[in-house]
Amino acid sequence: MRQIFVAGNWKMNGSLEANQQLINGIKAGRGINAEMAICPPAIYIPQIADLLTGSDISWGGQDVCEQVSGAYTGQISAAMLLEMKCKYVIVGHSERRTLNGESDELVAEKYSTALAAGLKPILCIGELLEERESGDTEAVVARQLNAVLDKVGIEGIGAGVIAYEPVWAIGTGKTASPQQAQDVHAFIRQILTEKDGNVAEKVQILYGGSVKPDNAAELFAMTDIDGGLIGGASLDADSFLGICQAG
Ligand code: PEP
């Protein structure tokens, strides 16, 4: 039985004061069985680490450099995230693939570097609207997943988390229907099953894309959906808690 996992991706939002209020609100939540994590902008990770230490909420980065250390201005290494007691790091978010030109190969390298350092990568995969409309959803998702599988093997995938995020549903208010999402999640798990059935059964596959308190329960009730990666709704304590309570 896989545990429901809900991770908040704050993207480039927040301030010292707003973060404190948001974390205080989230820590006041009750009646939650889901595993929870917060991924704030990197500069606020030490603040969030201080605020969440002693709670059962984890934290993580939104990105990591594929290199271990050196002359990579502006980048943050896996070791630095670990030093800040991050458990997770998001890799391959569609905003980084689209706005920063991250290729499947680069995402696979980031995943591998994060894993080697001891972080649990959250691998984001998902199709663009035109790819869905042209019937290429499975081909795109398989290509993105296989790039990482080829690099780290099925054991490496088993040590992380997958987030299926249809790009057309991110920040748009358009959610995939529970069945649309379930179909892709089952397809992803099938790819993993062909490599190793035990790993495939255990790995958490999150859904991301305009998840809100009022649609979370029906998404999380689907067989292969094990929680959510939450953008906009993670910036409001009541919304984030409402989603976590749906788990
Ligand atoms: C995301 O950024 O990963 C995301 C799912 O965003 P939103 O929930 O705002 O669609």
Side-chain angles (χ1 to χ4, degrees):
M1 186 68 185
R2 295 177 298 269
Q3 204 193 350
I4 291 288
F5 173 38
V6 181
N9 171 16
W10 287 3
K11 310 193 188 194
M12 196 174 73
N13 293 291
S15 67
L16 288 172
E17 197 185 328
N19 300 345
Q20 173 130 31
Q21 278 179 20
L22 182 48
I23 294 293
N24 287 347
I26 292 170
K27 279 167 71 178
R30 296 286 173 266
I32 293 167
N33 295 317
E35 194 183 333
M36 295 162 77
I38 303 289
C39 298
I43 197 163
Y44 294 130
I45 290 175
Q47 180 200 15
I48 300 308
D50 278 351
L51 292 170
L52 289 179
T53 295
S55 77
D56 51 12
I57 306 171
S58 307
W59 56 93
Q62 296 178 8
D63 183 36
V64 65
C65 184
E66 73 283 5
Q67 303 293 339
V68 171
S69 66
Y72 301 99
T73 302
Q75 300 266 36
I76 290 179
S77 73
M80 293 170 189
L81 293 174
L82 266 184
E83 205 175 8
M84 294 300 131
K85 306 271 190 297
C86 288
K87 178 172 178 186
Y88 295 98
V89 64
I90 298 170
V91 296
H93 191 279
S94 69
E95 284 151 18
R96 295 206 59 87
R97 290 180 190 261
T98 309
L99 304 174
N100 297 71
E102 292 194 2
S103 64
D104 293 341
E105 292 67 34
L106 179 62
V107 171
E109 285 192 22
K110 289 184 175 210
Y111 189 104
S112 173
T113 302
L115 200 62
L119 291 162
K120 221 170 156 56
I122 302 175
L123 170 66
C124 298
I125 56 178
E127 80 287 1
L128 303 169
L129 182 59
E130 55 267 35
E131 292 167 335
R132 173 160 285 264
E133 286 175 346
S134 59
D136 291 328
T137 298
E138 292 192 350
V140 170
V141 162
R143 191 199 72 223
Q144 294 173 334
L145 179 58
N146 282 326
V148 182
L149 261 172
D150 289 348
K151 180 93 186 159
V152 301
I154 186 67
E155 300 75 20
I157 289 288
V161 175
I162 296 172
Y164 167 59
E165 301 206 296
V167 180
W168 48 272
I170 297 180
T172 58
K174 281 188 214 159
T175 319
S177 71
Q179 193 57 54
Q180 274 176 322
Q182 164 60 26
D183 289 348
V184 182
H185 282 232
F187 173 72
I188 292 167
R189 207 176 299 283
Q190 184 53 37
I191 294 178
L192 303 183
T193 302
E194 284 160 19
K195 305 273 183 197
D196 185 323
N198 287 331
V199 172
E201 257 315 295
K202 285 189 190 131
V203 71
Q204 288 163 312
I205 308 179
L206 314 184
Y207 168 78
S210 298
V211 178
K212 303 278 181 291
D214 60 2
N215 60 23
E218 50 177 0
L219 284 161
F220 297 173
M222 304 305 284
T223 317
D224 289 295
I225 301 184
D226 308 314
L229 180 55
I230 317 300
S234 71
L235 297 172
D236 177 86
D238 290 341
S239 294
F240 189 63
L241 289 171
I243 293 167
C244 296
Q245 278 152 355

